[in-house]
Amino acid sequence: MSGYINIFNATENNLKNISLRVPKGKITVFTGISGSGKSSLCLDTIAAESRRELNETFPSFVQQYLPKYGRPHVERIENLPVTILIDQKKPANNARSTVATYTDIFALLRLLFSRVGKPFVGYSDSFSFNHPSGSCPRCNGLGTVTDLDIHKLVDFNKCLNDEDVIHFPTFTTGAWRWKRYAYSGLFDLNKKIKDYSKEELDLFLYSPQIRLKNPPSNWPKSAKFEGLYPRMYRSIITTKEGRRQQKVLDTMVCSAECPECHGTRLNERVRSCRIDGLNLADVVAMPISDALSFVKSLNDPLAKDIQSELLKRLQALCDIGLGYLSLSRGTGTLSGGEAQRIKIAKYINSALTDMAYVLDEPSVGLHPQDISRLKQSMLHLRDHGNTVLIVEHHREIIAMADHVVDLGPAAGSNGGRIMFEGDYDGLLKSDTITGRMLHHHTELKSSVRTPSEWFHVEHATLHNLKDISVDIPVGVFTVIAGVAGSGKSSLMKHFIDNVDRRIIFIGQKDIGINLRSTPATYLDISDPIRRLFAKANKVSAQLFSFNSKGGCPACGGKGVIVSDMAFMESIETVCEACHGRRYNDEALQYRYRGMNIADVMGLTVEEASEFFSDQPFMPQLRALSKVGLGYLHLDQSMSTLSGGELQRVKLADNLYKKGEVYVIDEPTDGLHLDDIRRLMTLFNEMTDAGNTLILIEHSLDVMKQADYLIELGPGGGEDGGRLLFAGIPKDILHCKNSVTRPYF
C-alpha cells in the first residue's frame, strides 16, 4: 500500500478549509488541544465519508438497516480506503452479552466442549446459555435472579379502596392496572390485605393469567386476571416501563446470584461435561490469561483446529493488556477503553489488508506499562498493510507516529487549523502548543501538603482486593495508581461505601443524558436566559423552550429525527424543518441584544461569558471554562460529549465547594498535555480551598504533582489487588515492588 489519502477543503464542524495528504500504510497521529478539530477531521470527515460511500455500495434494501452517515462538509477526498472505526463506544448493555460472546470465543468453546468434553451431553447449541437446552431454568440463562419484596410494593395494612395501597405509579388507586384487581369481583375492596384468606392471597399475588367466569359488568371483556407477582415480572420488571421507573423499582426489587447455577448461567447437565476436570462455566470464569493456559494444555486430536483459533483470539486479548478480564464479564461493565481494546484485538487476526483503522484515543485508561502492549498491536495493524489513523494525546503514542498532524491553535471556533504536518522530530522542533508541551517534563513535587487527619480503610476484599488495609490522607491531593484492572476502582468503591462521610464521586458514567439535555440545562442556565428573552419581548418564557411552546413541530425540539430500528441502533438525522436549531419560527422572530434564542443558545461557553458578562449565572459559565470546556455550545446535546467531557461537566457543577471529599475517576482521559496542566491548577486550587481530592489516575504528570500516592498491583484481575506503595511520590523511587517506578 502506498500513496496518500488526499483531503480537499474540509469544513466539518470547526475545520477551516483544511486540505492535507495523509500517507497510506503508515501510522498518522492527530494531535491538538481538546476541541481543536482532531475528531472532526479524522472521525467526522475521513472515517464518516468512507463509511458513507461503503454503505452506498449495498442494495437499498440493505442500506435501510445500516447506520446513516451524513455527507461530511468536505469538497472531496481521493484514494480513500475502506475504514474501520475503533472508538470507545461500549457494546449495547445487554444482559446476555459477555466478553466471551462478543469476541466469538464462547462459540469456539462451545464447539470444543461438544467435541472433547466428557460425558457427551449434546452439540454446540446445547452449551449456550441463550438456548433452552443449555440455559439454567431458574434464571433463564441470565445468571442472576430478581426478587420482588412484596411488602414494599403492597401495604398489607390497607384495603384495595385505600389510597396508595400498591406503591407503583400505574397501580395507584384508580389507575387502570389497579382496576384489574378492584373490578375483578374476586376481593372485598374494604378488607385489609393482611386479612385475606390463603386462597384470596394466593389469587391476589400468584395467580397466572386466567379468564374470569361471570365477571362484573365493569370488567373489560377481553381482559385476563393475573396475580401481582407474575404481572410485575411480565409487564414491568423486564420491560422498558421498568427501565423508565427504575428508581421506584430499585426500592422494592433486588438482584442476586442465581442459587441454582451460582451465576454460571448454564444448567446442571451442561456443567457435568468436563475437559481435564473443568466444565465450560469454569473456563469462562477464568481470567483470559488462565483460559489461554488451559487451551494450550489441550492434547486431544479432536481439539486441534479449534485450539489454534482459540489461541489466536485469546493471545490477542492478552497481548493488548486485557488478560485480567474474565471471559464471563458482562460487556456492559467494561470501561470505554477496555471495550475499544477488545475491538482492536478482534482485528489483529483479520485477514483483511489495505484497510484504514481509525482509533479514538486508545491510550485512555492505560498505565504506562500497558501502553507498550498497545503500541505493538497498532504496529501489527500497520505492518499487515493497513493505514492507522489515531486521535491521541499520550506522549508515547505520538512518538511512535510515522506522520503527525497537529491542529489548533485553540479550541472551538478558534481551532480547526493545521499547525504542523510532518514527523515526530519535526513536531518537537515546532513552536506549537503540542510541540512545546512534549518538551516539558513534570518534576516530582518537592514540598507536599500535610494531612489534617486520615481515613482508615481496613481489610478491603471487594472484587480482586487482597485484604487491603491502607490510610488515605484528608485535606490533601492523593492519586490512586496501578495498571488496568489492578483494583483501583474497587478500592475507591469500598472506601465510598464504608467511610462515614459525604463523598462527591465524579466518574465517567452517563449523567442521565439524553437528546434534550445540554450544558445549559444541566447547569440550570437555560431558565434565566429564557426569562431574559421573555422580559425583553413581553411574551411567555415557555416560548423560548424547545421542550415547550418554542419547540420545532417536526422534531419536537430534539433537532434530530430519531428512527427506531428495533433490534439495531436507532438512526438520527438532522431535522430538515429547523435544520437542527430545535425552535419554531415564532420563537425565532424575537430578539435579545440583537440575537434570537437559537443564536444565543448556539454560542460557545466562552462567547456566552462575554455576551452575559453582567448576569448572575456567570459563575456557572466560568466553571465550565475553568474545567476546559469553554469550546462547548450551550445547546450542544450531551449525548455528543465524550466520557471525559461529561465528567468535566459534572466537575464544573461541583466547583467552589469547601471541606468536601472528591473521588474523581481518571479526569485526564482525552486531555491534551496543556489541558492537563490547566486541570492540575484547578485541582490545586480546590485542595487549597480545604477539599480532599482522591484521583484514580494513570498520568505520570498528575502522579508527580500529588501530595500522596497509593499504588495497587502488580498485575490486573487476580494478579492485582495488592498494596504496592503508599507514601509521598518521591519515595516511590525507592520502592522495588512498584510497577510505576520505572516510568518516573
Side-chain angles (χ1 to χ4, degrees):
M1 189 189 222
S2 60
Y4 294 87
I5 302 170
N6 299 315
I7 297 112
F8 297 91
N9 296 321
T11 56
E12 183 71 19
N13 298 329
N14 67 336
L15 300 180
K16 308 293 193 298
N17 283 89
I18 282 181
S19 296
L20 76 157
R21 301 198 309 165
V22 178
K24 298 173 85 169
K26 305 289 184 183
I27 294 176
T28 298
V29 174
F30 295 80
T31 64
I33 66 171
S34 301
S36 61
K38 305 180 300 298
S39 295
S40 295
L41 176 58
C42 191
L43 278 69
D44 300 337
T45 301
I46 299 173
E49 178 64 6
S50 174
R51 300 293 291 271
R52 185 188 69 81
E53 294 206 22
L54 177 64
N55 286 0
E56 287 185 354
T57 66
F58 293 101
S60 56
F61 173 77
V62 176
Q63 286 186 41
Q64 66 179 322
Y65 297 108
L66 297 173
K68 297 293 186 289
Y69 295 91
R71 185 184 293 274
H73 293 93
V74 59
E75 183 182 318
R76 71 182 189 278
I77 302 179
E78 296 175 348
N79 304 331
L80 184 60
V82 172
T83 299
I84 294 176
L85 177 60
I86 307 177
D87 58 16
Q88 294 185 27
K89 190 174 182 181
K90 291 196 231 177
N93 191 2
N94 186 324
R96 296 186 177 276
S97 178
T98 66
V99 170
T101 60
Y102 185 69
T103 56
D104 296 328
I105 288 172
F106 194 61
L108 290 169
L109 286 172
R110 289 193 284 113
L111 189 58
L112 175 70
F113 272 84
S114 69
R115 283 192 186 177
V116 182
K118 299 288 188 292
F120 176 79
V121 297
Y123 295 103
S124 178
D125 280 352
S126 301
F127 290 83
S128 172
F129 53 75
N130 292 324
H131 194 281
S133 62
S135 63
C136 167
R138 173 79 164 84
C139 65
N140 197 27
L142 290 173
T144 58
V145 289
T146 303
D147 291 325
L148 172 66
D149 186 339
I150 199 66
H151 289 279
K152 290 183 178 175
L153 176 64
V154 178
D155 190 338
F156 278 60
N157 290 313
K158 291 183 176 180
C159 61
L160 280 171
N161 263 343
D162 288 336
E163 285 293 320
D164 199 28
V165 58
I166 303 176
H167 309 306
F168 199 82
T170 51
F171 285 86
T172 53
T173 306
W176 72 275
R177 282 197 172 109
W178 169 86
K179 293 176 181 177
R180 291 293 192 270
Y181 301 94
Y183 293 178
S184 67
L186 300 173
F187 310 104
D188 180 346
L189 302 190
N190 295 307
K191 185 178 181 179
K192 291 181 179 178
I193 309 294
K194 68 178 183 180
D195 295 331
Y196 280 10
S197 66
K198 184 180 183 306
E199 290 75 17
E200 288 174 321
L201 198 59
D202 283 349
L203 198 61
F204 180 59
L205 297 180
Y206 305 111
S207 172
Q209 287 190 346
I210 57 172
R211 288 209 176 273
L212 299 180
K213 295 177 181 177
N214 304 316
S217 59
N218 55 358
W219 180 260
K221 288 183 179 179
S222 60
K224 292 181 180 180
F225 177 83
E226 186 175 21
L228 259 180
Y229 266 115
R231 179 154 209 169
M232 283 293 293
Y233 279 105
R234 181 182 60 80
S235 61
I236 305 291
I237 293 173
T238 60
T239 67
K240 286 183 179 179
E241 182 176 349
R243 289 194 288 277
R244 286 196 300 270
Q245 302 286 353
Q246 194 64 51
K247 286 186 178 178
V248 181
L249 268 183
D250 285 345
T251 65
M252 57 187 67
V253 300
C254 63
S255 294
E257 182 183 272
C258 174
E260 191 162 319
C261 69
H262 305 291
T264 65
R265 303 168 178 253
L266 299 167
N267 60 38
E268 189 175 2
R269 179 169 156 274
V270 170
R271 300 199 308 273
S272 72
C273 179
R274 297 176 180 273
I275 300 175
D276 296 337
L278 298 174
N279 62 32
L280 179 56
D282 296 328
V283 176
V284 296
M286 294 175 175
I288 290 169
S289 55
D290 290 351
L292 178 65
S293 300
F294 165 76
V295 174
K296 281 181 178 177
S297 70
L298 300 175
N299 52 25
D300 192 307
L302 291 173
K304 197 169 181 72
D305 55 341
I306 308 170
Q307 185 181 29
S308 62
E309 278 301 312
L310 277 169
L311 288 176
K312 279 199 298 188
R313 293 169 195 245
L314 292 167
Q315 189 66 57
L317 290 165
C318 288
D319 288 346
I320 207 164
L322 294 175
Y324 62 90
L325 291 178
S326 68
L327 289 168
S328 58
R329 176 93 170 258
T331 52
T333 68
L334 299 175
S335 69
E338 286 170 334
Q340 185 184 41
R341 294 197 293 282
I342 283 178
K343 294 174 190 175
I344 296 172
K346 283 181 72 173
Y347 294 115
I348 288 294
N349 295 307
S350 172
L352 295 172
T353 189
D354 293 348
M355 309 289 284
Y357 290 93
V358 175
L359 294 92
D360 185 14
E361 297 178 22
S363 71
V364 162
L366 287 185
H367 184 273
Q369 186 187 61
D370 300 313
I371 294 291
S372 60
R373 293 173 172 173
L374 176 68
K375 286 163 60 178
Q376 289 304 313
S377 297
M378 291 188 290
L379 287 169
H380 182 96
L381 286 175
R382 180 199 67 184
D383 295 344
H384 192 54
N386 300 299
T387 302
V388 182
L389 311 178
I390 309 169
V391 174
E392 189 53 84
H393 297 291
H394 197 282
R395 295 173 188 267
E396 284 195 52
I397 304 295
I398 299 172
M400 74 177 287
D402 300 308
H403 189 72
V404 179
V405 178
D406 189 36
L407 285 96
S413 58
N414 295 319
R417 292 182 171 86
I418 293 178
M419 308 306 294
F420 171 83
E421 278 186 87
D423 60 15
Y424 179 69
D425 289 338
L427 178 64
L428 289 176
K429 294 171 186 171
S430 72
D431 192 36
T432 68
I433 293 176
T434 305
R436 291 196 300 269
M437 289 305 299
L438 286 170
H439 281 291
H440 174 76
H441 291 280
T442 306
E443 298 298 322
L444 271 165
K445 198 171 191 177
S446 55
S447 178
V448 298
R449 299 178 180 89
T450 303
S452 57
E453 56 179 305
W454 298 80
F455 292 119
H456 304 290
V457 176
E458 296 180 347
H459 305 296
T461 56
L462 182 65
H463 300 144
N464 68 333
L465 298 179
K466 309 293 193 298
D467 196 26
I468 284 181
S469 294
V470 63
D471 292 338
I472 299 175
V474 178
V476 304
F477 175 28
T478 298
V479 169
I480 313 295
V483 300
S486 60
K488 304 181 297 297
S489 297
S490 298
L491 179 63
M492 285 298 94
K493 186 173 190 319
H494 174 92
F495 169 70
I496 292 168
D497 291 345
N498 290 277
V499 71
D500 188 21
R501 181 84 171 263
R502 186 173 95 103
I503 307 290
I504 298 174
F505 176 70
I506 302 178
Q508 295 192 8
K509 300 290 185 187
D510 290 354
I511 48 180
I513 62 167
N514 55 54
L515 281 170
R516 296 183 184 278
S517 61
T518 66
T521 57
Y522 187 76
L523 295 179
D524 295 326
I525 299 170
S526 296
D527 284 342
I529 292 175
R530 291 182 197 121
R531 287 195 290 270
L532 289 173
F533 269 87
K535 185 177 179 181
N537 294 282
K538 296 181 173 54
V539 292
S540 169
Q542 289 183 328
L543 187 59
F544 304 103
S545 169
F546 54 72
N547 291 325
S548 186
K549 294 180 180 177
C552 165
C555 64
K558 291 178 181 176
V560 296
I561 303 295
V562 181
S563 303
D564 185 4
M565 298 301 293
F567 57 89
M568 297 181 71
E569 281 190 36
S570 297
I571 292 171
E572 295 178 9
T573 51
V574 175
C575 174
E576 293 182 1
C578 68
H579 304 290
R581 303 189 85 188
R582 298 175 181 252
Y583 297 93
N584 60 33
D585 291 341
E586 184 184 359
L588 295 175
Q589 70 181 352
Y590 296 104
R591 296 285 190 276
Y592 173 75
R593 294 182 181 175
M595 299 177 76
N596 65 32
I597 185 66
D599 294 333
V600 169
M601 298 308 280
L603 295 173
T604 65
V605 170
E606 288 184 354
E607 291 167 345
S609 297
E610 292 182 26
F611 191 77
F612 293 116
S613 59
D614 57 343
Q615 295 301 319
F617 51 83
M618 268 301 295
Q620 290 98 306
L621 293 171
R622 199 175 295 118
L624 279 171
S625 294
K626 200 94 171 172
V627 298
L629 295 177
Y631 59 89
L632 293 184
H633 294 267
L634 295 183
D635 65 349
Q636 190 168 339
S637 173
M638 299 276 270
S639 61
T640 66
L641 304 189
S642 68
E645 287 171 327
L646 286 172
Q647 185 186 39
R648 279 178 280 148
V649 172
K650 281 192 279 188
L651 181 59
D653 195 28
N654 283 283
L655 284 185
Y656 307 117
K657 295 184 178 180
K658 296 183 178 181
E660 299 287 355
V661 179
Y662 292 86
V663 174
I664 310 177
D665 187 14
E666 299 185 19
T668 67
D669 279 2
L671 288 188
H672 187 271
L673 296 168
D674 190 57
D675 295 313
I676 293 175
R677 180 183 60 80
R678 292 168 186 244
L679 199 58
M680 284 302 301
T681 301
L682 175 63
F683 287 151
N684 279 309
E685 288 176 5
M686 292 172 68
T687 309
D688 290 338
N691 296 298
T692 299
L693 265 66
I694 306 169
L695 270 61
I696 299 170
E697 190 52 78
H698 291 293
S699 168
L700 290 171
D701 295 308
V702 176
M703 292 182 206
K704 289 177 178 180
Q705 287 299 294
D707 298 309
Y708 202 76
L709 187 60
I710 295 170
E711 184 184 4
L712 302 182
E718 282 306 304
D719 292 331
R722 293 179 174 85
L723 182 64
L724 302 183
F725 175 79
I728 61 175
K730 68 177 183 179
D731 287 348
I732 201 171
L733 297 175
H734 309 294
C735 178
K736 293 179 181 178
N737 294 328
S738 171
V739 176
T740 306
R741 177 180 61 87
Y743 303 95
F744 264 69

